[in-house]
Amino acid sequence: MRSLWSDEDAAAFTARYEERGIGEDLAMRVYSSRLLGREPQLVQHGGGNTSVKTVVKDVLGRATPVLCVKGSGWDLEFIEPEGLPAVRMDRLLELRDAEALSDGAMVEVQRGALLDSAAPNPSVETLLHAWMGPRFVDHTHANAVLALTDQPGGEALCRALYGDRLAIAPYCMPGFDLARLAARVFEASPGAEGMILLKHGIFTWGETAREAYERMITFVSMAEDALQRGARQALTPAATAPASASAAQIGPILRGALAEAFGDGRWRRVTLDHRGGPAALAFAGGAEVMRYSQAGLVTPDHVIRIKPWPLVLPAPEAGQLDSFAGQVRAAVAAYAERYRDYFERHNAATQPKKTMLDPWPRWALVPGLGLYGIGASAKEAAVAADIAETTVAVVTAAEAMDRFESIDEADLFAMEYWSLEQAKLGKVRAKPLAGQVAVVTGGGGTIGAAIARAFADQGAEVAVLDRDEAAAAGVATAVKGLGLACDVTDSAAVAAAFERVAERYGGVDILVSNAGAAFTGRIGEVPDAVLRESFDLNFFAHQSAAQAAIAVMRRQGTGGVLLFNASKQALNPGPDFGPYGLAKAATLALMRQYAVEYGGESVRSGAVNADRIRSGLLTDEMIARRSSARGVTEQAYLAGNLLGREVTAEDVAQAFVALALSNKTTGAVLTVDGGNIAAAVR
Ligand code: ZN
């Protein structure tokens, strides 16, 4: 591992923060914390913590010794001085004499000792940092160190490798007890430059930020070298190489098996994040995957993100996906059963009693395909997949030397159900469409972009399809979704786009088939070619998208929603708009046909009938021409409806969201036109 330290950058940091009245100690603490945070082999997603002992002025201007320590909820990679709250050292040091301290009391004292009462909670490892003498203390869950300690001979390996340079503490649950243990080990190891916490991670310290940081890099590099020297074997592949199916086929099956029906047409759904790199493939396809994957976690902190073990699935066989789906459902049920048993066994020995968390896996292994991270959102699934990949790397390295060994199950349980650990996850109320995947066609245009935003605002993951690749990408970036170039009149391209979405998120739940364009011509004289072109885009493209969506939805087996952008013309034809209106009328009938044929599989359908929306279909130039032809202002033209209000793309988008949320509505048309009786559904 290479040191990223740069004197130039460090000086720039100090200067920048000095302008804000922040001292050099804290500036250097921020700088080297970010260096640690930037290296995924050291820490990930809020893991690890750092501190500095310094002196600051209190409100009365008195010099006050404090510990500035990482605050809960901050990520080292992006930390700022506000993420390192100052805690009075005298208050932390006096706790050293306590025999025992409850978690609640510990948090209470730490909060009470904050200089700024509005600061975030100091790290759960605050006391440990305070009771180690040196000024700068760094703590990471470095992969290489974990791979060394997570073996039966881990302690001996570390002693042989580091000698007296690193103190070694046995595994102990984080919190007050670990702080006491580590302080005793620290005091008994004069001259040590850091400390290994077996099966947990590593601490280094120093009088300067650089010293502590460089020691971290040195010791981790030594562990990396030892792993390379000691590597004897690669994971043995399973005897039968599986004739595999694709990630796009397997994702929806797994996602469907993990969904939970609320019984009223709503589902709790998850999002998947597939990782199919060589390490994940070798891990999932190993002959002994059932042993090493179920042996626990590489560091206890991971339990809140990925549960004690992954779900392991059999190898899927192409052409046998129906029987595979049955095996997946059985495996998910068995996982939940095992989790309940784990909870009950350990809860029986725990005081006070805990409430069981959900029993569903956070990652899954599929031979031939690698791993899937599982989360309530794409973001959560990505975090789970990142931590799963770290697990794969550490376990693989430990197995290359000897055998992976974790802390025992009771310790994992204690960590998973530790109130201070659960507090890290925060309590965010799920949005109505959380976990659902929506595909919006024509998503690069005015109305499509508004629809994409509206669904993302409700918590959905959104795939934006548009003929214009840049437009799709632009909207996708804005909604943190997936942008795909797709000509919806090419049914093969549509099918391929849906495969991509299934690959990315694990499936599709909502289609908003929005792409369309107006075609005109007097019906008795219009060339067939115009009519056919309009039908290609305004009818067949809707059918292709709906068919592709149905294919994914049926693999999931958890219903879905098909929504179509109809038009006033479908209900209330206007002169010269035959080519457009006829195709839209057919699409309206298509929507009803889907309602009739797929209602039994919980697939709902609906259409929005909108009119006079400023958009790519009704351009500024058209608005100017039509309003002047009628002798009214543009505003009066746009608001020429019963309510006298202009209808916007956002109004249309909200109508689609309303249909998506109406669990007991199918075959319905929702009109969004400010009121036009001639175009009313009858
Ligand atoms: Zn830790």
Side-chain angles (χ1 to χ4, degrees):
M1 180 168 288
R2 279 190 33 235
S3 167
L4 302 173
W5 188 276
S6 147
D7 281 334
E8 218 170 286
D9 289 354
F13 249 82
T14 311
R16 178 145 42 102
Y17 283 111
E18 204 181 325
E19 286 169 19
R20 287 172 50 187
I22 286 157
E24 188 181 348
D25 282 348
L26 191 49
M28 283 299 88
R29 184 62 286 176
V30 170
Y31 173 62
S32 77
S33 298
R34 289 193 190 175
L35 295 186
L36 296 170
R38 262 165 60 185
E39 178 49 78
Q41 307 277 327
L42 290 177
V43 291
Q44 275 192 318
H45 299 297
N49 40 60
T50 56
S51 67
V52 60
K53 298 172 188 76
T54 185
V55 176
V56 296
K57 289 206 166 70
D58 71 2
V59 287
L60 296 175
R62 293 171 300 201
T64 310
V66 293
L67 178 80
C68 293
V69 62
K70 195 190 96 166
S72 194
W74 282 82
D75 196 316
L76 288 181
E77 187 175 1
F78 308 107
I79 204 151
E80 292 286 350
E82 301 76 53
L84 289 152
V87 196
R88 291 172 190 276
M89 270 301 274
D90 55 353
R91 307 287 299 281
L92 298 176
L93 290 175
E94 69 191 15
L95 289 177
R96 185 75 178 84
D97 298 326
E99 276 302 313
L101 197 64
S102 72
D103 295 334
M106 186 176 81
V107 171
E108 195 72 10
V109 175
Q110 288 176 185
R111 275 216 73 81
L114 284 167
L115 245 56
D116 172 2
S117 64
N121 273 340
S123 160
V124 297
E125 280 159 334
T126 294
L127 292 178
L128 203 160
H129 283 263
W131 296 347
M132 306 254 194
R135 295 180 57 234
F136 287 85
V137 178
D138 294 7
H139 169 50
T140 72
H141 304 143
N143 286 7
V145 171
L146 291 175
L148 269 193
T149 77
D150 293 2
Q151 305 182 30
E155 182 173 355
L157 285 170
C158 290
R159 287 202 193 283
L161 181 64
Y162 298 118
D164 292 339
R165 294 185 71 185
L166 289 184
I168 293 182
Y171 178 77
C172 175
M173 165 123 166
F176 187 72
D177 292 343
L178 173 61
R180 288 216 338 152
L181 171 73
R184 278 202 303 274
V185 174
F186 172 80
E187 282 153 17
S189 318
E193 298 160 56
M195 184 184 296
I196 298 274
L197 302 186
L198 292 172
K199 294 177 177 164
H200 173 157
I202 175 172
F203 278 82
T204 55
W205 48 69
E207 283 311 305
T208 64
R210 180 164 193 178
E211 189 176 35
Y213 172 76
E214 299 284 6
R215 283 172 172 173
M216 179 67 72
I217 301 302
T218 301
F219 294 129
V220 171
S221 301
M222 286 168 74
E224 286 173 341
D225 292 344
L227 288 170
Q228 269 201 332
R229 281 195 309 274
R232 279 185 294 272
Q233 68 234 356
L235 297 175
T236 315
T240 48
S244 189
S246 73
Q249 287 174 309
I250 299 309
I253 293 173
L254 173 58
R255 190 165 176 265
L258 289 168
E260 231 182 327
F262 290 124
D264 60 357
R266 288 178 307 130
W267 293 83
R268 183 197 65 86
R269 288 188 167 99
V270 296
T271 306
L272 305 182
D273 193 321
H274 175 243
R275 306 287 167 95
L281 282 174
F283 191 87
E288 294 185 72
V289 62
M290 283 311 293
R291 175 183 58 77
Y292 56 68
S293 75
Q294 306 296 300
L297 298 176
V298 302
T299 185
D301 207 31
H302 287 175
V303 74
I304 53 165
R305 306 281 188 191
I306 59 168
K307 296 264 174 194
W309 349 264
L311 172 70
V312 182
L313 298 176
E317 281 183 51
Q320 306 283 323
L321 294 185
D322 282 346
S323 68
F324 178 73
Q327 291 173 311
V328 174
R329 283 192 296 272
V332 169
Y335 183 100
E337 196 46 50
R338 178 181 174 195
Y339 186 87
R340 283 190 193 96
D341 172 67
Y342 150 88
F343 174 79
E344 269 150 30
R345 264 187 294 116
H346 294 292
N347 196 37
T350 303
Q351 283 301 340
K353 294 294 172 228
K354 305 290 183 180
T355 304
M356 196 181 85
L357 301 164
D358 76 79
W360 310 115
R362 296 297 189 274
W363 62 303
L365 289 162
V366 186
L369 282 178
L371 67 86
Y372 286 90
I374 301 163
S377 62
K379 199 175 155 201
E380 261 186 41
V383 169
D386 286 347
I387 293 174
E389 286 197 304
T390 294
T391 306
V392 165
V394 172
V395 173
T396 302
E399 289 275 321
M401 276 183 88
D402 185 5
R403 181 167 56 81
F404 169 67
E405 191 185 77
S406 178
I407 57 174
D408 64 37
E409 206 184 71
D411 285 327
L412 265 183
F413 176 84
M415 196 67 186
E416 185 175 7
Y417 283 88
W418 189 26
S419 56
L420 301 189
E421 202 60 9
Q422 287 300 328
K424 289 182 185 174
L425 293 176
K427 296 273 170 283
V428 189
R429 238 189 85 135
K431 291 182 174 170
L433 294 176
Q436 308 227 29
V437 180
V439 175
V440 181
T441 72
T446 310
I447 293 175
I451 294 168
R453 279 196 303 274
F455 277 81
D457 283 349
Q458 297 297 320
E461 310 300 336
V462 181
V464 180
L465 274 51
D466 201 283
R467 200 169 41 175
D468 180 340
E469 187 168 7
V475 175
T477 305
V479 301
K480 296 190 171 75
L482 173 69
L484 294 173
C486 181
D487 173 2
V488 287
T489 61
D490 174 352
S491 61
V494 171
F498 273 78
E499 294 285 288
R500 273 290 296 123
V501 178
E503 220 172 80
R504 172 65 190 86
Y505 296 116
V508 173
D509 308 299
I510 300 164
L511 162 68
V512 184
S513 191
N514 164 66
F519 292 81
T520 53
R522 200 173 174 201
I523 199 67
E525 294 141 57
V526 69
D528 269 7
V530 173
L531 207 50
R532 286 183 198 282
E533 204 186 335
S534 178
F535 265 83
D536 276 345
L537 178 59
N538 293 316
F539 173 75
F540 282 105
H542 291 289
Q543 163 65 350
S544 302
Q547 273 198 337
I550 285 287
V552 179
M553 288 170 184
R554 297 197 71 206
R555 263 183 250 151
Q556 292 171 159
T558 58
V561 189
L562 306 173
L563 302 176
F564 302 88
N565 196 344
S567 159
K568 182 214 118 179
Q569 295 297 329
L571 295 149
N572 175 219
D576 281 337
F577 275 94
Y580 181 58
L582 288 168
K584 285 288 192 181
T587 295
L588 199 59
L590 180 76
M591 178 278 283
R592 290 180 169 149
Q593 197 65 33
Y594 274 100
V596 168
E597 294 189 35
Y598 291 93
E601 295 180 40
S602 290
V603 177
R604 299 186 288 109
S605 67
V608 170
N609 162 30
D611 191 26
R612 250 177 242 193
I613 319 292
R614 192 189 293 272
S615 69
L617 240 73
L618 180 62
T619 60
D620 290 352
E621 184 261 316
M622 287 159 75
I623 294 167
R625 193 155 28 84
R626 290 185 193 179
S627 51
S628 81
R630 289 170 206 213
V632 296
T633 64
E634 288 188 15
Q635 191 46 43
Y637 168 71
L638 287 169
N641 54 48
L642 295 175
L643 295 173
R645 287 187 199 131
E646 180 181 345
V647 183
T648 65
E650 276 66 36
D651 297 320
V652 178
Q654 290 308 324
F656 278 113
V657 168
L659 283 173
L661 289 172
S662 301
N663 292 305
K664 292 167 189 174
T665 297
T666 191
V669 180
L670 186 47
T671 302
V672 191
D673 62 2
N676 173 5
I677 282 305
V681 181
R682 60 197 122 185

